Amino acid sequence: MDHVARINSLGRAVPTWAVYIHLLLPVPLYFYMAATGGMGVEPINALERKMGEIALQLVIAGLCITPLRRFAGINLIRFRRTLGVLAFTYLCVHLVIWVLLDMSLRWDQMWADILKRPYITIGMAAFVMAVPLALTSNNLSIRKLGPLAWRRLHKLTYAIAVLGAVHFVMVQKVWETEPLIYLVVIAVLLLLRLQLGQQGRARA
Ligand code: HEM
């Protein structure tokens, strides 16, 4: 059996609940580390950043599923929803840490930050876009919207990824390489997507 066939049969064997459990484990683990001194001198900020980083990684992993199938024959399509729902869960944790632990429910301050701090504005815009995607990540919504409209709506994932990566660039005090790498990866995935779209139109 070649590598692709092996990955595909592994993909069929792994239940999605196992993926949920494994990829959710970092949440309690990092909270525990933050509470017990394992995350440096600013544990709340470190925790907030970690949850944002994992959320963005999961968004990107979700975007890799279609090109992996089309260009490499690796079929992990069963896990696309899992990755999307997990990404949204991490975004919610990221937001809850900001609201409760970072801003301590100071709503005036939060509104001011959303309006005046561009990186918060961008992060919030990405989060707002993610809400309809999370709400429609179920079979009933696909049936109600129809596959075409559903697919069109879920293209928002690209915008969320770009805004998330720009937000990541902007939270740094100086230009850092890591967020720029995320941006490049997202740009490549977007280009692949556009190419797939063109191929589809050419075939039609
Ligand atoms: C709900 C709205 C959001 C708020 C209020 C928010 C807020 C924050 C804050 C306060 C930080 C830390 C900044 C600092 O250390 O000074 C941060 C970092 C970060 N956020 Fe967000 N964020 C939001 C949405 C998002 C979204 C949608 C994504 C990704 C899709 C994201 C990904 C990240 C990443 C990757 C980091 C930096 C992680 C690192 O430094 O390793 N955030 N965010």
Side-chain angles (χ1 to χ4, degrees):
M1 204 172 12
D2 67 13
H3 289 315
V4 171
R6 209 169 286 148
I7 295 172
N8 285 342
S9 72
L10 191 71
R12 279 191 296 275
V14 174
T16 50
W17 60 260
V19 177
Y20 276 114
I21 289 179
H22 274 86
L23 293 182
L24 280 173
L25 274 179
V27 177
L29 203 75
Y30 280 114
F31 268 87
Y32 175 77
M33 277 170 64
T36 52
M39 287 193 80
V41 286
E42 285 190 66
I44 292 176
N45 185 258
L47 195 58
E48 183 174 51
R49 281 176 166 254
K50 198 75 211 165
M51 296 299 115
E53 191 187 331
I54 297 176
L56 187 57
Q57 287 165 353
L58 288 166
V59 172
I60 294 172
L63 290 180
C64 288
I65 299 282
T66 301
L68 268 180
R69 189 176 61 165
R70 294 291 286 270
F71 294 107
I74 295 173
N75 187 352
L76 298 174
I77 213 92
R78 296 178 51 227
F79 302 110
R80 194 167 55 178
R81 180 184 295 173
T82 316
L83 292 172
V85 171
L86 282 165
F88 187 71
T89 309
Y90 274 90
L91 281 185
C92 291
V93 178
H94 186 59
L95 181 61
V96 166
I97 293 171
W98 184 66
V99 171
L100 285 184
L101 304 179
D102 193 353
M103 306 304 287
S104 312
L105 292 175
R106 283 173 282 135
W107 298 105
D108 292 355
Q109 181 66 48
M110 281 186 255
W111 271 119
D113 277 2
I114 290 169
L115 297 176
K116 287 194 195 122
R117 289 191 173 196
Y119 84 90
I120 299 282
T121 317
I122 289 176
M124 197 49 87
F127 181 78
V128 169
M129 285 181 193
V131 173
L133 304 197
L135 291 178
T136 54
S137 285
N138 56 71
N139 295 342
L140 183 67
S141 296
I142 298 176
R143 242 178 289 135
K144 272 194 171 163
L145 287 169
L148 213 70
W150 187 90
R151 239 180 278 144
R152 209 171 289 152
L153 175 67
H154 280 252
K155 279 189 187 150
L156 270 181
T157 316
Y158 286 93
I160 294 165
V162 172
L163 292 177
V166 171
H167 166 82
F168 190 4
V169 171
M170 292 171 82
V171 300
Q172 313 299 333
K173 306 273 181 293
V174 290
W175 286 96
E176 296 259 0
T177 321
E178 197 190 340
L180 295 176
I181 294 172
Y182 280 79
L183 262 182
V184 171
V185 170
I186 294 163
V188 170
L189 287 167
L190 195 55
L191 285 175
L192 287 177
R193 172 76 245 178
L194 293 175
Q195 200 192 338
L196 285 178
Q198 268 170 5
Q199 280 175 7
R201 271 192 296 279
R203 269 201 302 272

